[in-house]
Amino acid sequence: MQKALFILSIILIAFTANAQTKTQEADSTSAPLRSISSHLRINGARIHQDARLETLVTSFPKIYYGNPKAGSDKNVYYTKGYRVRVFSGNNQTQSKNLAYQIEKELIEKMPDLDTYVVFKTPNWRLLVGNYRTSEEAYRSLRTLKKEFPARGREMFVIQDEIEIPIE
């Protein structure tokens, strides 16, 4: 008798879960995407998981799309990556002019590099490259130090938001 009652309760739970799933599928087309665990918590399920798992799932890089510069027709997506910082200075006029001068020298010797002159208060910076891994960035850093030994002491790899072209 207990086995029959147990089997009957499992069948009822399965039918209830199936009906809830179909209702949720109809509702989920208009709802924004959320993590699986938060979705299950909202729908009354109990979840026992390590808190680090939620951190791991939500720590993936955020990717968004757009045009990098006004008037540019190339589409890119932005994500976390690495660049080589070639120059940084905080003297407003001199640093700006020096950043653009160094950028011009870089482009003359290595025209395939992506260069970015950026102002982040209070510094003007010259950044090079869009590298997905630190290994790529360090390889480029070694090449840049060989090509520009006078500037080699102030060059290093930084973590930054990079542009990846959409093809």
Side-chain angles (χ1 to χ4, degrees):
M1 178 70 182
Q2 288 180 346
K3 285 184 181 180
L5 187 58
F6 178 73
I7 292 173
L8 182 62
S9 62
I10 294 219
I11 291 172
L12 281 172
I13 291 171
F15 281 149
T16 306
N18 189 22
Q20 284 180 351
T21 304
K22 289 184 180 181
T23 306
Q24 291 167 3
E25 287 173 0
D27 293 340
S28 69
T29 56
S30 60
L33 295 175
R34 52 185 175 247
S35 73
I36 294 170
S37 59
S38 64
H39 179 74
L40 291 172
R41 266 189 235 112
I42 290 170
N43 292 305
R46 283 190 178 182
I47 300 172
H48 300 282
Q49 70 179 17
D50 191 340
R52 294 175 294 178
L53 182 62
E54 186 74 25
T55 305
L56 180 65
V57 169
T58 58
S59 69
F60 285 109
K62 306 287 187 275
I63 297 174
Y64 54 96
Y65 299 90
N67 286 328
K69 299 175 186 168
S72 176
D73 60 348
K74 70 175 187 176
N75 284 323
V76 297
Y77 72 88
Y78 300 89
T79 188
K80 288 183 181 178
Y82 299 90
R83 289 191 170 147
V84 176
R85 192 179 90 177
V86 175
F87 170 78
S88 180
N90 63 1
N91 185 325
Q92 293 299 310
T93 52
Q94 289 179 350
S95 296
K96 178 180 179 181
N97 294 336
L98 190 54
Y100 281 109
Q101 178 185 345
I102 295 169
E103 179 187 35
K104 185 178 175 182
E105 292 171 15
L106 274 172
I107 292 172
E108 285 175 4
K109 279 194 174 182
M110 306 171 95
D112 57 328
L113 283 180
D114 296 324
T115 59
Y116 304 91
V117 175
V118 179
F119 179 72
K120 286 188 179 179
T121 306
N123 296 319
W124 282 93
R125 296 178 179 163
L126 174 59
L127 306 174
V128 173
N130 292 304
Y131 306 108
R132 295 181 191 189
T133 64
S134 60
E135 290 82 14
E136 289 177 297
Y138 280 106
R139 194 175 316 123
S140 178
L141 175 65
R142 285 190 295 275
T143 304
L144 286 166
K145 282 185 175 186
K146 285 179 187 174
E147 291 291 324
F148 302 95
R151 298 235 168 256
R153 294 180 59 107
E154 62 182 297
M155 291 184 199
F156 58 92
V157 173
I158 62 167
Q159 200 170 22
D160 199 14
E161 190 172 75
I162 63 169
E163 299 176 352
I164 306 295
I166 300 172
E167 298 171 2

